[in-house]
Amino acid sequence: MKNLFLLISIIIHATLISQDFNREKMDKLFSLIESKQKGMGSISIFEKGEEMYQNSFGYASIEENIKAINKTKYRIGSISKTFTAAIIMSLIENGKLSLTAPLADFFPEIKNSSNITIAHLLKHRSGIFNFTSSEDYPSWMEQSISKEELVKRIVANGSSFEPNEKFEYSNSNYVLLSFIAEKIENKEYEEIIKETICKPCSLVNTYYGSDIIVKNNEAKSYTNTSDWKLATETDMSVPVGAGAIVSNPTELNQFLNCLFDYKIVSEQAVNSMIKIEDGYGMGIFQAPFYDKKAYGHNGGIDGFQSNAFYFPEEKVSVAYTSNGVVMPMNDILIGALSIYFGKEYALPEFNPPLDLKPEELDTYLGIYSSPDFPLKITISKEKNKLIGQATGQSSFPLEAYEPSKFKFDQAGLKMEFKPDDNKMILRQGGGEFELKKE
């Protein structure tokens, strides 16, 4: 009888916690996103180690008509860096490495390697050029590459600044950290993840990725201009510990709870990871939400985008993985967290764009530039749709939401044209720039 009473108490307690937010409103948010084709993916919210909410929407594979479910797995991109940072901290705690060890101990051929430390790599303060920003990267990112060839490419790209001069995000740092871990452990990165992360955290659907296999509950990724189109598929030999892990939101939350419960590394090590300098710790960002503070990482690779963050004070974590983005992920997470924490939030309306005639777009066409903005923006049109393209970047569709005002939601970008003055006002991420037509 005592055991039965205990079981009933646990069930009641779990029910009370899970009903402490507007579940119907949360469901409606993701139903709207799906029905209006504003995104596809999965979300999970944990509190005190328990999953309080999970939702999957859209398709894992449009071509094969396979809907996303709670077991669907996604490429998580740069969230992999948090895994890699935890692996490196574990090596340090086990006396196999130190934060002050020079990169020259492992890769002396890299410029400034004698002055670059493990800590500099973890904090993106090495100065090593980000190889995914090289002009030729799109031409080889979908091809298998050997570790030796990848290191050669990193060496060839050189440095952007002197070690510890400043913070600058670089995937090269975490690829090198992956290879350092492999050299120390004499094991493949895939095996190190299993032993250091997956085993202590009981993760069974998290692993080093390879070619996408839909039958293995792995999602393909898509881009959307007017309809969903299959995205590129980066070969996983390229990003390694900077972005090659596959997982799902439930297990990302398990990982975060495991990390912040000090089951992977000690409290001292986690505190070092979350010590923020120039906006970044060691494999971890800090993100605010009203008066709350969360730690975690975001990720993007091909058409995948992801976020996974933990609120230590509230013991709440949220993970969201997407294989098709239209509504900005940040906006979706603000909505989900607002609903969960009981903040005021109005569901998005998704009003249809203005229907403009092709000839109405002609006044906006041209090349726009400014000495205060690093790129030129070319505005062209395809039938009755305005198209933008920044220097060296992919083109993107612009949706009219008011006369002379256009937006590209995936990038949180808005453009206001002033044809009489030959000007365009670009707004993104809180910044505002005035560009003139050339």
Side-chain angles (χ1 to χ4, degrees):
M1 182 65 71
K2 182 179 179 180
N3 289 339
L4 178 60
F5 175 75
L6 178 63
L7 179 61
I8 292 171
S9 298
I10 291 171
I11 292 171
I12 290 172
H13 175 67
T15 302
L16 287 173
I17 293 176
S18 64
Q19 290 179 349
D20 200 27
F21 70 98
N22 191 334
R23 185 175 296 273
E24 182 180 354
K25 188 174 183 180
M26 188 82 82
D27 287 340
K28 191 170 183 180
L29 170 63
F30 292 103
S31 178
L32 275 169
I33 292 169
E34 180 177 38
S35 64
K36 300 295 184 180
Q37 295 198 50
K38 297 297 182 180
M40 302 191 294
S42 298
I43 186 169
S44 169
I45 300 175
F46 272 43
E47 184 169 347
K48 297 177 181 176
E50 297 180 52
E51 188 166 55
M52 297 293 123
Y53 184 78
Q54 195 283 329
N55 200 330
S56 297
F57 50 99
Y59 290 85
S61 172
I62 294 174
E63 295 80 9
E64 295 159 87
N65 198 36
I66 298 174
K67 292 280 289 182
I69 58 175
N70 63 340
K71 293 182 180 179
T72 300
K73 291 167 284 190
Y74 304 78
R75 292 184 171 187
I76 63 171
S78 288
I79 296 177
S80 304
K81 291 180 174 68
T82 309
F83 286 73
T84 300
I87 287 169
I88 295 297
M89 296 305 287
S90 176
L91 292 173
I92 291 169
E93 287 199 323
N94 288 315
K96 299 179 180 180
L97 186 64
S98 74
L99 286 173
T100 56
L103 178 60
D105 287 352
F106 305 95
F107 296 103
E109 65 269 36
I110 291 177
K111 185 179 178 181
N112 296 327
S113 62
S114 59
N115 295 319
I116 296 170
T117 67
I118 297 299
H120 293 151
L121 295 172
L122 286 165
K123 296 178 178 181
H124 291 299
R125 302 183 70 84
S126 70
I128 300 171
F129 182 81
N130 178 21
F131 74 91
T132 61
S133 297
S134 59
E135 289 186 9
D136 66 342
Y137 177 68
S139 69
W140 58 269
M141 69 183 202
E142 295 185 75
Q143 303 166 16
S144 178
I145 188 170
S146 69
K147 296 170 188 176
E148 293 76 17
E149 181 60 32
L150 188 51
V151 171
K152 284 181 182 178
R153 288 184 178 273
I154 292 172
V155 171
N157 283 322
S159 296
S160 301
F161 55 89
E162 292 300 306
N164 205 32
E165 184 177 285
K166 62 179 181 177
F167 163 86
E168 188 172 288
Y169 194 88
S170 174
N171 287 298
S172 303
N173 293 319
Y174 277 77
V175 166
L176 293 172
L177 286 168
S178 309
F179 293 159
I180 289 169
E182 289 184 332
K183 287 187 175 188
I184 292 172
E185 295 290 78
N186 195 27
K187 295 175 183 175
E188 294 295 311
Y189 184 77
E190 178 179 1
E191 290 302 315
I192 299 172
I193 292 170
K194 289 179 183 177
E195 293 178 8
T196 309
I197 308 290
C198 297
K199 188 174 180 180
C201 300
S202 300
L203 307 181
V204 296
N205 291 303
T206 300
Y207 48 84
Y208 191 102
S210 58
D211 292 345
I212 294 171
I213 303 173
V214 176
K215 291 181 180 178
N216 193 29
N217 288 322
E218 294 178 2
K220 297 179 180 179
S221 74
Y222 300 85
T223 58
N224 189 310
T225 51
S226 57
D227 202 358
W228 295 115
K229 293 182 180 179
L230 197 61
T232 55
E233 186 177 330
T234 299
D235 192 274
M236 291 291 92
S237 63
V238 175
V240 203
I245 293 177
V246 171
S247 189
N248 61 37
T250 296
E251 292 210 350
L252 286 176
N253 278 328
Q254 286 178 231
F255 164 64
L256 288 174
N257 279 268
C258 188
L259 179 65
F260 282 90
D261 283 343
Y262 317 124
K263 294 178 181 178
I264 303 172
V265 291
S266 68
E267 181 177 2
Q268 182 180 359
V270 172
N271 285 339
S272 295
M273 292 174 70
I274 65 174
K275 187 176 180 180
I276 305 300
E277 182 181 6
D278 292 334
Y280 199 81
M282 295 180 181
I284 283 179
F285 287 105
Q286 183 186 100
F289 181 75
Y290 287 90
D291 58 338
K292 308 178 194 307
K293 190 183 297 181
Y295 296 95
H297 215 290
N298 57 5
I301 185 167
D302 304 316
F304 296 97
Q305 288 188 31
S306 53
N307 267 270
F309 282 87
Y310 182 84
F311 294 84
E313 291 295 321
E314 294 76 16
K315 297 190 182 301
V316 168
S317 62
V318 59
Y320 177 39
T321 54
S322 176
N323 62 325
V325 177
V326 177
M327 182 179 178
M329 180 167 281
N330 189 58
D331 292 353
I332 293 173
L333 284 170
I334 287 173
L337 288 171
S338 295
I339 294 168
Y340 191 80
F341 286 122
K343 302 293 184 182
E344 185 176 341
Y345 175 72
L347 291 170
E349 295 182 359
F350 298 128
N351 294 320
L354 296 180
D355 187 17
L356 300 177
K357 297 177 181 178
E359 56 269 24
E360 293 181 271
L361 303 177
D362 290 343
T363 186
Y364 309 126
L365 306 182
I367 299 173
Y368 295 79
S369 63
S370 167
D372 299 322
F373 193 73
L375 305 173
K376 291 186 177 184
I377 306 292
T378 300
I379 303 297
S380 58
K381 70 174 182 179
E382 292 180 6
K383 297 181 180 179
N384 65 335
K385 186 177 288 290
L386 210 59
I387 304 296
Q389 185 169 21
T391 306
Q393 307 292 318
S394 299
S395 62
F396 51 90
L398 289 163
E399 182 180 282
Y401 64 97
E402 287 183 23
S404 301
K405 294 183 179 182
F406 296 77
K407 63 179 181 176
F408 178 54
D409 280 338
Q410 289 98 313
L413 176 70
K414 290 187 176 181
M415 293 181 178
E416 179 181 356
F417 292 90
K418 299 186 175 182
D420 293 341
D421 299 323
N422 285 322
K423 292 180 181 179
M424 179 259 284
I425 309 298
L426 185 150
R427 299 180 178 91
Q428 186 180 35
E432 182 175 307
F433 304 89
E434 181 177 281
L435 285 76
K436 286 191 173 183
K437 185 188 286 190
E438 295 183 353

